[in-house]
Amino acid sequence: MKTILTTFGMVVVATAACAQTTLWKTDTASHKYYRIPAIVAYDNHVIAFSDNRSGVTDATSWGDVGSVGNISIEVRHSNDGGQTWTAPRCAVMGFGSGNFDQSHGDAAVVRDRETGCMLIMTGSGEVGYGRSRVDVPGDYSKVLKVGRYYSLDDGYTWNGGDVTSQIYDLYRGHGNIFRLFFTSGRICQSRLVKHGTYYRLYSAVVTNEGSLVVYSDDFGHTWVPLGGAAARPAPQGDEAKIEELPDGRVLLSCRRSGQDGRWFNIFTYADRQCQDGSWAEPVASEKHDGGTATINNNCNGEILFIPALDADGRKVYVALQSVPRGTPGNHPTNLERRSHVSIYWKAFDTADSWATPDRWAEGWQRHEITDGYSAYSSMALDGNGDICFIYEDHGVHFRLGSQPTEMYDILYRHLSLQDITGGRYQYRAAK
């Protein structure tokens, strides 16, 4: 392995190439289109998800939910750490027949570590994010819909339905939220907070008033805004991800709407029951040298906070943030702007070092996963402490019906913390 200085002005740790598997392959000639990966891992099992957008016939919403045609969510399983996989099967079917079941996509997923129950929250319906609106308070017929689906057999079969009113009503009377969806990828499950049967869930909700955070103590049956319905932890934030810190604080990491880099914010509980608390002020990580600044692209990824040992055996934590680095220059399409999916990483050695958002702005290094046209990604920690990484790569730009759009292959890669940090840190099992 070696360390090189790139033209981006940041140190990138280069390691030997890790084996990768193409789980879903976009083929425009055969009208097969895929986007938006998500992943769950436990023990030696990996469960991968992707939007199947092959049913879209006109990309009126750039191929997202709300386009002409239908979108479904597919799933694949591996029982040997990602070496072999089952064939794709439909998890949540979009029927293309209008209303709620027109399309289902952008899966936000979690598996309960004790019961094995699985949850997907979806963006659903025939209205895309940009066209979502509420003309009459409480009437959600013209909004981007929200779906909720459960699996009791490790993700092979799913049942659920429309929970649009329940989610929008969380903010009714608090601002003017008329569009929202759960951010795709990993829903965070607490290791510390448990009320009743389940450990608490945290998820980010993207809205027209920024990135919001909700939590659930009953595994997604009901949700509560973290910090209250009036809280706006990242008013200029876009799609976001959540991670729980070792002391119970809640970290929000989100793309900056219309800007490069990430917003970071932290919620701190005020009581031991973890019911009340407050958000700090969001801080931008926007530097190209030591920050998480991207180039010419807004895109989301995943955030993990991993217990580790340094080369001298000292206990630390390493944060991993995946996002496409981007390509310099004035590029006309998202495809050309979104490239070089990477994992940014930063070590923290004390609770003080991660306690406030400003501590997250600088000090990052970057491990490049691909130099190709690449966009969304997600990752999860398996039972061995390895990183199960799923991402979009080999992107293509083409015209679908009357509109241009981009689609990608969905790839899987199995990584260790040593791979990502050039041998400087290794995973340690948290007690």
Side-chain angles (χ1 to χ4, degrees), residues 138 161 316 334:
V316 299
N334 261 344

Side-chain angles (χ1 to χ4, degrees), residues 173 276 314 377 411:
D276 298 314
R314 291 173 296 199
S377 59
L411 276 66

Side-chain angles (χ1 to χ4, degrees), residues 188-250:
C188 174
Q189 184 169 39
S190 172
R191 293 190 172 275
L192 303 174
V193 184
K194 186 178 185 182
H195 296 291
T197 303
Y198 300 100
Y199 282 89
R200 178 168 290 181
L201 301 181
Y202 297 104
S203 189
V205 179
V206 188
T207 80
N208 56 287
E209 293 191 358
S211 303
L212 310 181
V213 181
V214 293
Y215 72 89
S216 175
D217 287 332
D218 55 12
F219 206 66
H221 288 281
T222 59
W223 294 89
V224 180
L226 186 64
R232 299 293 183 267
Q236 295 180 302
D238 203 316
E239 292 174 300
K241 293 295 178 71
I242 309 299
E243 180 64 297
E244 181 185 57
L245 300 179
D247 54 6
R249 299 172 204 254
V250 181

Side-chain angles (χ1 to χ4, degrees), residues 356-369:
T356 57
D358 59 288
R359 307 293 177 88
W360 292 77
E362 299 180 17
W364 295 87
Q365 298 189 55
R366 185 172 67 93
H367 173 80
E368 188 166 287
I369 299 295

Side-chain angles (χ1 to χ4, degrees), residues 44-314:
N44 208 34
H45 301 270
V46 190
I47 307 172
F49 300 82
S50 173
D51 282 10
N52 181 344
R53 298 188 172 182
S54 303
V56 173
T57 57
D58 193 283
T60 50
S61 293
W62 295 279
D64 289 336
V65 169
S67 300
V68 177
N70 70 289
I71 297 169
S72 298
I73 297 170
E74 291 191 349
V75 60
R76 298 188 70 173
H77 290 73
S78 173
N79 297 325
D80 55 11
Q83 297 183 58
T84 61
W85 294 84
T86 62
R89 60 188 297 153
C90 185
V92 183
M93 173 69 77
F95 295 98
S97 55
N99 298 318
F100 174 71
D101 279 320
Q102 169 79 14
S103 291
H104 303 290
D106 278 48
V109 301
V110 64
R111 180 184 185 273
D112 181 62
R113 70 172 63 91
E114 292 189 327
T115 67
C117 181
M118 294 187 68
L119 166 69
I120 293 179
M121 302 298 294
T122 67
S124 300
E126 61 182 352
V127 179
Y129 186 77
R131 294 187 292 115
S132 181
R133 70 181 195 269
V134 176
D135 295 332
V136 178
D139 178 359
Y140 303 123
S141 60
K142 298 178 182 178
V143 300
L144 171 60
K145 305 296 194 298
V146 183
R148 181 186 63 206
Y149 294 86
Y150 289 101
S151 173
L152 302 178
D153 59 3
D154 223 28
Y156 284 92
T157 60
W158 297 82
N159 293 285
D162 189 347
V163 293
T164 302
S165 295
Q166 178 193 127
I167 303 304
Y168 278 86
D169 276 347
L170 295 177
Y171 299 101
R172 189 175 175 183
H174 299 273
N176 181 31
I177 291 177
F178 51 84
R179 58 173 67 113
L180 63 77
F181 65 97
F182 280 71
T183 296
S184 63
R186 186 181 67 99
I187 293 175
C188 174
Q189 184 169 39
S190 172
R191 293 190 172 275
L192 303 174
V193 184
K194 186 178 185 182
H195 296 291
T197 303
Y198 300 100
Y199 282 89
R200 178 168 290 181
L201 301 181
Y202 297 104
S203 189
V205 179
V206 188
T207 80
N208 56 287
E209 293 191 358
S211 303
L212 310 181
V213 181
V214 293
Y215 72 89
S216 175
D217 287 332
D218 55 12
F219 206 66
H221 288 281
T222 59
W223 294 89
V224 180
L226 186 64
R232 299 293 183 267
Q236 295 180 302
D238 203 316
E239 292 174 300
K241 293 295 178 71
I242 309 299
E243 180 64 297
E244 181 185 57
L245 300 179
D247 54 6
R249 299 172 204 254
V250 181
L251 174 71
L252 169 68
S253 170
C254 58
R255 57 190 274 196
R256 302 175 71 207
S257 184
Q259 300 171 291
D260 292 340
R262 310 287 295 177
W263 288 110
F264 289 103
N265 202 350
I266 291 176
F267 182 88
T268 302
Y269 285 107
D271 60 84
R272 292 189 176 184
Q273 293 301 311
C274 296
Q275 299 291 352
D276 298 314
S278 60
W279 287 99
E281 291 297 317
V283 172
S285 176
E286 55 187 342
K287 291 185 177 180
H288 290 282
D289 185 5
T292 60
T294 54
I295 300 173
N296 298 331
N297 79 86
N298 281 157
C299 200
N300 206 25
E302 187 63 75
I303 184 81
L304 290 177
F305 202 62
I306 298 176
L309 296 173
D310 68 12
D312 295 320
R314 291 173 296 199

